[in-house]
Every structure is written in C-alpha cells, then in structure tokens.
Amino acid sequence: GKAPEFYDDDIPLLFLGNAAPAIFLDPDDDTLLGLYGLFQACGSTGSEGSLKRSARQAMELCKQLLLDWKESNQSRNNVSLFATSFLSLPAQYYSHMGLEYHCGGDDRGGAKLEAFQIIVL
C-alpha cells in the first residue's frame, strides 16, 4: 500500500499530543484536550510504577519512525522528517518517553535496545 504522507507541522502533535509546543496547537480546538501522543505512550506506567506492556510497542514504533522510516524523496544518507522534528524539539519533551524506565531494564514493558538507539540519534 501507499505510505502515509506527513507534514513537518503534524509530527509534534503525533509525538506529544496536547503536550506539543503551543505553536502547533489550535487554542480553540477542544478535541485536543487530553490528546495522548506517542511519547506519552512510550512512557506510560501502570499502577505499580512499572511500564505498561504497551509501552514496549510504542517505543518500537517510535524507533521505526525515527530511524527506519524512509520518505519517497529521501536520499540514502539524510534523516527522515520524523528524526528532524524529534531532534529539533526542546530536550524537556523527551522526558515523556520514559527512557530511564526502558534503559533501566523494565522487563515487562521495556524496549531497552530501541531506547538506546533513540538516545544515540
């Protein structure tokens, strides 16, 4: 099938939901209230403070978007639009991903390899 098309101003909303920088949010759009982004899914914890099982799949998807996604017009050595957007975010937004849980060896929901690959990016 055809790969979905993304624009650079869509990606912060995909990554961060309503926690995205204000410049990417419409203040009059009530549908954004409580909107969860991919980063929050990566770092979601359960009642016992460990990662939810779904956090592993979210981190794997995040890794695929950041490191494996290739756009049709992308040359071999260039980074994707996802990686460019990720790298341009202020560092405080990375805390939503719960990288410390993934890297710390949370066996239930952790995706250690993917988290380290993202950190190296």
Side-chain angles (χ1 to χ4, degrees):
K2 184 180 178 200
E5 184 176 354
F6 291 95
Y7 298 98
D8 58 349
D9 59 343
D10 297 329
I11 296 172
L13 188 60
L14 174 71
F15 283 160
L16 293 162
N18 67 347
I23 192 168
F24 297 106
L25 302 175
D26 178 356
D28 299 322
D29 188 352
D30 293 337
T31 63
L32 296 177
L33 294 175
L35 184 64
Y36 211 55
L38 181 57
F39 288 4
Q40 287 92 338
C42 289
S44 60
T45 56
S47 58
E48 297 177 13
S50 61
L51 288 169
K52 290 184 176 182
R53 286 188 305 264
S54 60
R56 177 189 308 271
Q57 284 77 31
M59 185 62 75
E60 289 171 355
L61 175 59
C62 194
K63 182 263 180 188
Q64 288 177 6
L65 290 173
L66 294 173
L67 300 170
D68 301 333
W69 179 271
K70 299 293 179 212
E71 293 143 23
S72 60
N73 62 348
Q74 181 180 333
S75 69
R76 188 169 165 86
N77 295 327
N78 289 349
V79 296
S80 72
L81 191 59
F82 291 102
T84 301
S85 180
F86 177 80
L87 294 170
S88 67
L89 286 171
Q92 77 248 24
Y93 291 106
Y94 303 142
S95 66
H96 292 290
M97 298 176 77
L99 291 166
E100 66 278 12
Y101 297 112
H102 290 277
C103 295
D106 184 331
D107 293 331
R108 180 172 184 224
K112 186 182 279 191
L113 178 62
E114 290 80 2
F116 281 127
Q117 289 173 317
I118 290 170
I119 290 169
V120 170
L121 174 67

